[in-house]
Amino acid sequence: MPLAKEAAAAGLRVVGFEVDPAKVEALNAGRSYIDDLTDADLDHMLAGGFRATLDESVLAASRTVVICVPTPLDEDHRPDLSAVEGATATVARNLSAGTLVVLESTTWPGTTDEVARPILEASGLAAGTDFHLAFSPERIDPGNPKFGLRNTPKVVGGYTAACRDRAVGFYSQFVEQVVPVSGTREAEMAKLLENTYRHVNIALVNEMAIFCDELGINLWESIEAAATKPFGFQKFLPGPGVGGHCIPVDPSYLSYTVRKLGYPFRFVELAQEINERMPSYVVARVQRLLNRHKKAVNGARVLLLGVTYKPDIADERETPALPVARALLELGADLVFADPHVREWRVDGMEVPREDDLARAVAEADVTLLLQQHAAFDLATIEDHGRLVLDTRGVLAEGERVERL
């Protein structure tokens, strides 16, 4: 939708093909369901001719088709390309000569050439001859007020040089800087590299948080001190785990690629192990905090503040709040949550009660667990009214009742 918004603003005729009737109905009625698109944005798009549809025949009349579908992991943590394959097959059924097809979904290097191209060429048209094929990874940071699709450089790789040039021309109409690379694999690898870099560095500070606590070192202060160095250091912060549709998933796509060569990608897999154990560590810290005050988790009222994966958005994908909540419930905690962006929240099908009054919720909880620092949370209220507080984001002042991760 951010892509559709910018393309429509540039004067292009844009249609959104979707398989979910509820989403099509909402979009055409001017109701946005994502953080980065307001109802006002959508109204402006609709006034400019945008529409959403369930009719795949619109693809046949499109000069450019951009595939933006989820690429999750399956139950065995292997890449699940079923959405990519399904969407590409739909495009193939409606492919016209001269069309540009761009895959934007994050995936392992080689997907565009080895998976998407054969499906598209089953139409009888040849990539690079009859139609153009390219890969350009999405770089949307939900809730980022500074960088959006227009002012974030767009990496583009084509199946051929002509494919690349056609894709560069398309994106240049509404993106300020387009970065061409030599092929689709290089563009696919660029996205995995970006998020693997973050994944590994987050794991580094998460592991440091664990041993710095035992050493009695204020890691948060050390990070801020290190960040004063004007070169050679980038600040990463520890937390209760990693979330969203990129950091928990993308490195596994890269690890999968390396494993196909016959050896493990140990660096990434170690980072995955560290980040995945952080929810358990957070729960252990809650247990320790309660034990110090002669209380058990069993029967304790535990308030979770913020259950989304990022501050100030409603996106719950891969949120670390879920494994934290699951472990606390298994220990017998009386769980409640507060989040201004989430009206209802379930853990394994069980609805968790929602608290609207922050001061009352914090005062009534045996322990408050700050998982996400939404701007709507009054930090002074948490500090002043919390009986016991574990701050996993390093934003509260430490004191007799407040501990940092």
Side-chain angles (χ1 to χ4, degrees):
M1 289 309 300
L3 174 70
K5 173 188 169 183
E6 294 298 342
L12 279 68
R13 289 179 296 169
V14 183
V15 179
F17 170 64
E18 171 61 59
V19 296
D20 184 343
K23 289 183 178 180
V24 170
E25 180 183 357
L27 291 173
N28 287 333
R31 299 192 308 271
S32 174
Y33 51 85
I34 64 170
D35 293 293
D36 289 318
L37 191 78
T38 65
D39 288 352
D41 290 331
L42 190 50
D43 285 341
H44 187 71
M45 292 171 62
L46 291 167
F50 171 80
R51 64 186 175 93
T53 182
L54 296 165
D55 182 3
E56 67 178 63
S57 67
V58 297
L59 299 171
S62 300
R63 179 171 168 78
T64 299
V65 177
V66 183
I67 299 173
C68 308
V69 294
T71 48
L73 301 175
D74 64 17
E75 294 181 355
D76 297 319
H77 274 246
R78 294 175 303 187
D80 179 1
L81 296 183
S82 58
V84 169
E85 292 168 346
T88 306
T90 302
V91 174
R93 287 196 298 270
N94 298 276
L95 188 60
S96 302
T99 302
L100 166 65
V101 180
V102 184
L103 177 63
E104 284 207 356
S105 304
T106 303
T107 184
W108 46 267
T111 300
T112 305
D113 183 29
E114 299 169 13
V115 177
R117 183 173 62 83
I119 294 174
L120 293 168
E121 290 185 336
S123 65
L125 301 175
T129 303
D130 301 314
F131 69 94
H132 294 93
L133 177 62
F135 180 84
S136 180
E138 60 86 14
R139 277 176 161 175
I140 298 297
D141 184 19
N144 191 320
K146 183 177 180 181
F147 291 106
L149 189 137
R150 175 172 289 276
N151 65 347
T152 300
K154 198 85 169 79
V155 174
V156 174
Y159 175 62
T160 65
C163 292
R164 177 198 63 208
D165 293 344
R166 171 75 180 275
V168 168
F170 166 68
Y171 285 111
S172 295
Q173 296 174 89
F174 51 88
V175 179
E176 293 174 3
Q177 181 185 359
V178 178
V179 182
V181 294
S182 59
T184 55
R185 284 175 170 80
E186 285 73 20
E188 290 161 336
M189 179 60 81
K191 178 61 183 291
L192 296 183
L193 177 58
E194 294 167 17
N195 287 329
T196 299
Y197 169 81
R198 291 169 60 198
H199 181 66
V200 167
N201 280 280
I202 290 170
L204 172 65
V205 293
N206 277 338
E207 189 161 45
M208 292 184 76
I210 295 172
F211 69 71
C212 279
D213 173 60
E214 295 186 21
L215 292 172
I217 296 170
N218 187 332
L219 176 62
W220 302 93
E221 186 177 346
S222 297
I223 291 172
E224 293 302 327
T228 62
K229 185 178 180 181
F231 54 88
F233 182 83
Q234 183 177 357
K235 182 170 75 173
F236 288 86
L237 298 173
V242 292
H245 65 297
C246 289
I247 303 302
V249 175
D250 293 0
S252 293
Y253 273 71
L254 186 54
S255 178
Y256 170 80
T257 302
V258 176
R259 279 192 172 275
K260 289 196 298 182
L261 299 176
Y263 50 86
F265 194 172
R266 288 177 291 179
F267 218 72
V268 166
E269 291 169 10
L270 178 59
Q272 194 92 10
E273 177 186 328
I274 293 169
N275 287 332
E276 286 181 352
R277 82 180 187 197
M278 287 307 292
S280 297
Y281 175 69
V282 168
V283 172
R285 288 288 299 272
V286 170
Q287 286 181 292
R288 193 176 78 186
L289 189 58
L290 286 168
N291 285 342
R292 281 208 209 102
H293 293 80
K294 297 179 171 48
K295 295 180 180 180
V297 175
N298 190 4
R301 188 175 181 84
V302 181
L303 170 64
L304 303 185
L305 293 183
V307 296
T308 62
Y309 89 90
K310 279 191 69 179
D312 304 324
I313 65 169
D315 199 332
E316 302 169 38
R317 286 177 294 179
E318 304 293 335
T319 173
L322 186 59
V324 168
R326 185 178 292 123
L328 287 169
L329 288 171
E330 289 176 353
L331 291 171
D334 175 18
L335 204 64
V336 294
F337 86 99
D339 194 308
H341 303 280
V342 178
R343 300 305 304 175
E344 295 181 355
W345 193 53
R346 295 179 178 273
V347 177
D348 298 333
M350 188 195 82
E351 185 170 350
V352 178
R354 184 179 189 272
E355 296 287 342
D356 291 314
D357 188 325
L358 180 65
R360 180 175 59 81
V362 170
E364 292 179 352
D366 292 304
V367 61
T368 295
L369 182 53
L370 180 61
L371 294 175
Q372 201 53 264
Q373 70 275 32
H374 294 309
F377 289 148
D378 182 52
L379 301 184
T381 296
I382 302 170
E383 294 167 351
D384 295 341
H385 296 279
R387 298 181 189 177
L388 296 173
V389 181
L390 178 61
D391 171 17
T392 70
R393 297 298 179 178
V395 294
L396 300 175
E398 286 192 289
E400 183 180 344
R401 295 172 301 175
V402 179
E403 285 188 6
R404 285 181 175 178
L405 190 63

